[in-house]
């Protein structure tokens, strides 16, 4: 099935531009591309649009886009743990969009950039403390589709978890927003029937958007105590943000 693509129209651009005015510090977007890539150009277009709409400080845009080609920049692919194209990353690759962050996902990406720029995750202090106590590697995959209105909330929450771990100098918490149509093998691996679906270290943990306190506790259960967890249905209205 081909992804549903949503063009960034004038009204959306104006909303993005207004939102990005809240940026305070620069943020770098990395886009990883390669040959025979159906959606690489679209991913570049999205990143460049955000760069264009970002405010400037001291004559420089607060969003900088860097493009890495699989055939020329293999070292950077390896350094940031990128295996698929297109992929968009922030913060040395700990925040990752595997597939094009189009449609509804742009909202979550914009809010992620703003919070990183402001150095404020918006997470509860208790959550931050628990995150920083986790030393084991964590890979959270948020399976999404472009037309899903709830998916950006799940992605944003996961991104902020990774950001708080990154802030203390650790890069072993990966927030990976996976576009299901472009990566059907990952969606099939977890037998995803609806989105957002969230897997923690290869274990499907949530279907829907979890509350913050439930999410961090489930991560602790999986990585610290090795508990087996099954799918959990969370109300779509439970954004946890």
């Amino acid at each position: 099935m081909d992804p549903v693509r949503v063009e960034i129209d004038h009204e959306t651009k104006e909303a993005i531009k207004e939102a990005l005015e809240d940026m305070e510090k620069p943020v770098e977007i990395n886009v990883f591309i390669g040959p025979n890539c159906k959606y690489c150009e679209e991913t570049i277009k999205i990143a460049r649009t955000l760069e264009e709409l970002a405010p400037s400080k001291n004559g420089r845009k607060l969003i900088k886009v860097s493009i890495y080609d699989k055939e020329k920049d293999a070292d950077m692919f390896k350094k940031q743990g990128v295996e698929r194209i297109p992929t968009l990353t922030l913060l040395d690759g700990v925040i990752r969009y595997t597939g094009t962050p189009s449609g509804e996902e742009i909202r979550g990406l914009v809010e992620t950039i703003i919070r990183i720029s402001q150095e404020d995750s918006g997470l509860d202090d208790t959550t931050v403390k628990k995150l920083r106590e986790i030393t084991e590697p964590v890979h959270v995959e948020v399976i999404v589709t472009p037309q899903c209105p709830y998916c950006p909330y799940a992605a944003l929450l996961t991104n902020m978890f990774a950001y708080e771990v990154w802030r203390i100098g650790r890069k072993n918490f990966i927030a990976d927003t996976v576009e299901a149509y472009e990566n059907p093998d990952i969606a099939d691996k977890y037998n995803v029937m609806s989105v957002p679906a969230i897997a923690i270290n290869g274990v499907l943990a949530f279907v829907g958007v979890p509350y913050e306190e439930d999410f961090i506790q489930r991560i602790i259960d999986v990585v610290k105590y090795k508990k087996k967890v099954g799918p959990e249905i969370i109300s779509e209205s439970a954004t946890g943000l």
Side-chain angles (χ1 to χ4, degrees):
M1 186 174 180
D2 205 36
V4 176
R5 298 297 166 187
V6 179
E7 286 294 320
I8 307 178
D9 57 24
H10 177 72
E11 184 178 348
T12 303
K13 285 183 179 180
E14 288 299 312
I16 292 172
K17 184 176 181 179
E18 182 178 352
L20 291 175
E21 288 295 329
D22 290 335
M23 290 185 68
E24 296 175 4
K25 295 186 177 181
V27 174
E28 183 170 359
I29 296 175
N30 305 300
V31 180
F32 293 83
I33 63 172
N36 304 314
C37 176
K38 187 174 182 181
Y39 298 110
C40 283
E41 284 302 319
E42 180 165 354
T43 305
I44 292 172
K45 179 181 176 182
I46 290 169
R48 291 295 189 197
T49 298
L50 296 180
E51 183 180 49
E52 175 190 339
L53 297 175
S56 297
K57 193 172 185 178
N58 300 323
R60 294 186 178 182
K61 287 285 187 179
L62 288 183
I63 292 179
K64 178 187 176 184
V65 175
S66 298
I67 311 294
Y68 298 102
D69 189 285
K70 195 169 187 177
E71 295 183 330
K72 302 175 184 177
D73 305 298
D75 289 348
M76 185 58 72
F77 272 73
K78 183 177 181 180
K79 183 178 180 180
Q80 296 206 5
V82 175
E83 298 178 351
R84 299 180 181 229
I85 54 173
T87 292
L88 182 151
T89 72
L90 305 166
L91 304 181
D92 307 314
V94 301
I95 294 176
R96 181 182 308 160
Y97 283 78
T98 300
T100 312
S102 63
E104 295 290 337
E105 281 310 308
I106 294 174
R107 293 191 294 114
L109 175 57
V110 168
E111 183 62 27
T112 294
I113 290 169
I114 292 169
R115 293 193 188 189
I116 291 171
S117 178
Q118 294 177 339
E119 298 183 340
D120 183 4
S121 67
L123 297 176
D124 185 83
D125 290 343
T126 302
T127 301
V128 174
K129 183 176 183 294
K130 289 179 178 179
L131 279 166
R132 294 180 176 184
E133 290 173 349
I134 298 172
T135 57
E136 294 86 349
V138 179
H139 181 199
V140 179
E141 296 166 280
V142 184
I143 317 300
V144 304
T145 58
Q147 68 271 39
C148 167
Y150 304 104
C151 290
Y153 296 105
L156 175 62
L157 186 55
T158 307
N159 290 348
M160 291 303 97
F161 281 12
Y163 169 61
E164 285 292 353
V165 176
W166 176 86
R167 286 180 78 175
I168 60 170
R170 293 208 305 265
K171 301 178 183 178
N172 60 347
F173 191 117
I174 306 298
D176 193 352
T177 300
V178 180
E179 207 289 306
Y181 295 132
E182 294 178 35
N183 301 277
D185 59 317
I186 296 178
D188 290 345
K189 173 184 175 182
Y190 298 113
N191 194 29
V192 172
M193 303 300 291
S194 61
V195 290
I198 301 174
I200 304 167
N201 286 3
V203 178
L204 182 64
F206 295 99
V207 178
V209 185
Y211 287 108
E212 184 178 314
E213 59 268 30
D214 294 335
F215 197 180
I216 184 58
Q217 188 57 52
R218 187 59 64 90
I219 291 172
I220 292 170
D221 288 346
V222 172
V223 303
K224 297 280 275 190
Y225 305 112
K226 315 299 182 185
K227 289 182 180 179
K228 289 186 177 181
V229 293
E232 179 174 328
I233 305 301
I234 302 295
S235 169
E236 289 182 333
S237 63
T239 65
L241 297 179

